[in-house]
Amino acid sequence: MGAPARRTGLTVKTVRYYSDTGLVPSTDRTSAGYRRYGAEAVARLELVRTLRELGIGLEAARRALEREASLAAVARAHADAPDLRIRTLRQRRAVLRAVAERGTDPGTPAAATAPAALTARYAEVSGRPDDAALRGWILRRLEVAAGPRVERYRPLLARINGRPAPPGPAPVFGWFTAALRAAG
């Protein structure tokens, strides 16, 4: 196992795990019982490593290796995951910057500009007036989006699709919910 691990940059433990789970079967064993891997097994290890580096789960990698799904289909199914993660990270960055600039407590007067900017942007995008009705509408959606059902659903959906679970937006939505409530 040491040689294929060195050739692929994987750890011996990872090669053993992939072999034990059937992703990369060994070709035979030495007289001492050590596993041997041929060129095809090393190529499979390299493909699994590459797919994992791209955030593709082991089940989706197995389907591609067993030709149950084409590599293109697996890639297509996972192509949007980075965009979702980037959007989530941008939301977090925006909130962290707003908190850093205005203070950590969403109820402080200095933090009140963040919900005002948020509602103004929503009003602009949706073509609605920036009023109490819009703030109530945003607040209801933030409360649902930060709720425990959504937080349980998102990782489940990622797992079903063989994707890594993206970070949840609950802290971001929670902060804005508190800030909107404080702003009145």
Side-chain angles (χ1 to χ4, degrees):
M1 263 191 254
R6 282 189 298 278
R7 280 187 271 174
T8 60
L10 296 168
T11 65
V12 171
K13 184 177 180 180
T14 301
V15 173
R16 183 179 295 116
Y17 178 76
Y18 290 170
S19 180
D20 290 346
T21 59
L23 274 173
V24 182
S26 60
T27 53
D28 62 352
R29 292 191 179 257
T30 66
S31 60
Y34 294 105
R35 301 171 200 199
R36 285 191 182 154
Y37 297 90
E40 183 180 336
V42 171
R44 286 174 69 102
L45 283 168
E46 289 173 341
L47 179 58
V48 172
R49 183 201 67 222
T50 301
L51 292 173
R52 294 294 295 141
E53 287 172 352
L54 292 171
I56 295 173
L58 289 177
E59 181 56 29
R62 184 198 61 75
R63 287 194 317 268
L65 288 169
E66 300 300 324
R67 300 195 192 319
E68 293 173 10
S70 70
L71 192 54
V74 169
R76 199 172 17 264
H78 292 79
D80 294 335
D83 292 333
L84 175 62
R85 183 153 170 82
I86 289 167
R87 278 195 307 271
T88 303
L89 290 172
R90 283 183 177 153
Q91 285 176 338
R92 282 187 175 183
R93 180 182 61 196
V95 168
L96 288 171
R97 285 182 176 161
V99 169
E101 292 172 11
R102 295 171 182 92
T104 57
D105 182 6
T108 62
T113 58
L118 175 70
T119 57
R121 182 70 177 136
Y122 266 100
E124 178 185 329
V125 169
S126 65
R128 296 173 63 175
D130 187 1
D131 57 11
L134 178 64
R135 286 187 291 282
W137 180 84
I138 294 170
L139 184 59
R140 286 188 299 278
R141 271 133 193 92
L142 287 172
E143 288 169 339
V144 169
R149 280 187 168 172
V150 174
E151 285 300 306
R152 286 190 308 265
Y153 177 74
R154 288 170 26 356
L156 176 64
L157 186 61
R159 184 174 185 144
I160 288 169
N161 290 311
R163 297 178 180 167
V172 172
F173 292 163
W175 190 90
F176 270 116
T177 299
L180 274 171
R181 282 194 184 119

